[in-house]
Amino acid sequence: MHTVAIVALEGVVPFDLSIPTEVFGRVRLPGGGAGYQVRVCGVTPEVHAGAFRVKTHHGLGALARADTIVLPGIADVSAPFPPQLLKALRAAARRGTRIASICSGAFILAATGLLDGLRATTHWMGTEELARRHPLIQVDPNVLYVDNGQLLTSAGAAAGLDLCLHLVRRDHGSAVAADAARLAVMPLERDGGQSQFITHAPPSPEGASLEPLLRWMEDHLHRPLTLPALARKAAMSERTLSRRFREQTGTTPLQWLLRARVRRAQHLLETTGRSVEAVAQEVGFHSPTTFREHFQRFVTTSPLAYRRAFRGAARLSAGGRSAPPPGGAPRRRRAAS
């Protein structure tokens, strides 16, 4: 029997705790037997979990007898992690135990040092903070999960389902995993990564010297904006503009423009019934093929798949042609990490 130990710390995210408990607990093998034995463990016998408290039946000693350890997300990643838990996780890794994290549980796994030199992910709102705290980890903000073999990490919320179903498929094959996915009312594989859910803020602070130019670019995305044209608009040389762009946005004028166009296209795909070709033209991609390539690059899914996932958030006007908001793409505040 494959034993899964799920660690419930103080402030555990209830949804993240329930995902592995339900997915692994309901897996049935072809003969009808259970695929896993699930144990919820804690440093203390009772933990606070948001709106309620959770009593755990097992202590950290159960980690020594587990085949897989799952670290659900916690509400406060700034709180110190129990040293005895970090020690137990390092010992489990030395024994070859598989360890997986869901959402902000990646911060716990990262604190052990086990992820150093490896690729990992977490909820998109926490990827910058994870990378800042642990510069040796290659943090990927775009994917639903990362499988390094023994160590796995997933993005937030529903991405924990993707990770758990992936583990079931690794352990018992696609047929068993497909049955588990049906029970969870979840596709076995989802299109794209978590980059399609990220809210991108304008990458320049208010008051920065390039802010007027960036706002003007957002309002004229449909035009063929070249570097010489932008330099003339900003009244500076192309070399100076490129240097200022790098200093203030961390990227080049072309890359900033491409991301702004894709961001605008996401809004149009969500809120209008215009064809993909029409959206491409409106945001400045005069080739639908080029548009699809850049959209796939930044959002990791196709425009049509994105529309299927996010259409309906706003009521369309008659004929499916709702008017875009004045001033170009919607201004969104940066989400806190």
Side-chain angles (χ1 to χ4, degrees):
M1 177 69 70
H2 188 117
T3 300
V4 177
I6 306 166
V7 180
L9 284 185
E10 184 70 14
V12 66
V13 177
F15 186 61
D16 294 353
L17 176 63
S18 66
I19 287 172
T21 304
E22 286 295 295
V23 171
F24 294 119
R26 293 179 179 273
V27 169
R28 290 296 176 267
L29 302 181
Y36 300 90
Q37 182 180 60
V38 177
R39 294 173 176 170
V40 177
C41 314
V43 177
T44 57
E46 185 174 300
V47 297
H48 183 257
F52 50 85
R53 300 190 70 82
V54 174
K55 291 186 177 181
T56 59
H57 295 307
H58 303 275
L60 293 183
L63 302 187
R65 301 182 294 277
D67 300 292
T68 295
I69 297 171
V70 180
L71 302 171
I74 51 175
D76 184 8
V77 296
S78 65
F81 305 128
Q84 61 269 44
L85 171 60
L86 301 183
K87 181 179 179 180
L89 292 173
R90 295 187 189 103
R94 288 194 295 270
R95 291 190 299 270
T97 304
R98 185 171 64 187
I99 306 175
S101 67
I102 297 174
C103 194
S104 56
F107 283 83
I108 306 170
L109 188 53
T112 65
L114 296 171
L115 289 176
D116 288 355
L118 298 178
R119 183 164 156 262
T121 194
T122 186
H123 192 291
W124 61 268
M125 292 178 68
T127 51
E128 290 186 5
E129 177 64 13
L130 183 64
R132 186 191 67 80
R133 291 193 197 182
H134 303 280
L136 296 180
I137 299 175
Q138 304 165 35
V139 180
D140 189 339
N142 298 317
V143 294
L144 294 174
Y145 60 84
V146 175
D147 183 348
N148 289 298
Q150 183 185 5
L151 303 174
L152 302 94
T153 54
S154 82
L161 279 165
D162 296 282
L163 175 65
C164 290
L165 291 172
H166 171 70
L167 290 175
V168 174
R169 181 166 50 187
R170 268 183 52 175
D171 295 338
H172 301 296
S174 295
V176 173
D179 286 340
R182 291 187 190 98
L183 284 174
V185 196
M186 176 83 178
L188 187 54
E189 291 187 19
R190 285 196 288 164
D191 290 334
Q194 71 165 332
S195 58
Q196 60 189 300
F197 303 99
I198 297 175
T199 301
H200 294 283
S204 177
E206 296 293 330
S209 62
L210 286 181
E211 184 201 347
L213 177 64
L214 298 180
R215 299 299 184 192
W216 181 85
M217 289 171 66
E218 283 194 339
D219 291 342
H220 296 82
L221 295 176
H222 60 285
R223 295 177 54 177
L225 302 178
T226 63
L227 182 60
L230 294 175
R232 288 194 298 271
K233 179 67 178 178
M236 61 182 71
S237 70
E238 295 176 28
R239 184 175 180 180
T240 299
L241 177 63
S242 296
R243 186 181 72 251
R244 296 273 179 86
F245 244 91
R246 180 69 68 178
E247 291 172 351
Q248 296 183 28
T249 71
T251 189
T252 65
L254 175 60
Q255 291 304 309
W256 192 96
L257 180 61
L258 289 174
R259 182 170 288 282
R261 284 173 168 162
V262 169
R263 189 168 64 240
R264 172 66 172 158
Q266 288 177 273
H267 172 73
L268 294 174
L269 290 169
E270 293 171 19
T271 59
T272 78
R274 297 167 200 170
S275 68
V276 170
E277 290 74 15
V279 169
Q281 287 284 332
E282 183 161 343
V283 300
F285 290 106
H286 299 296
S287 164
T289 300
T290 302
F291 169 57
R292 290 185 176 93
E293 289 174 353
H294 287 298
F295 197 93
Q296 181 74 39
R297 173 187 165 201
F298 287 113
V299 190
T300 66
T301 191
S302 69
L304 284 178
Y306 182 87
R307 167 168 275 168
R308 286 195 298 266
F310 294 96
R311 178 82 176 274
R315 185 181 298 276
L316 299 181
S317 64
R321 294 181 177 271
S322 58
R331 314 289 195 250
R332 290 171 171 168
R333 295 183 179 275
R334 183 178 299 276
S337 297

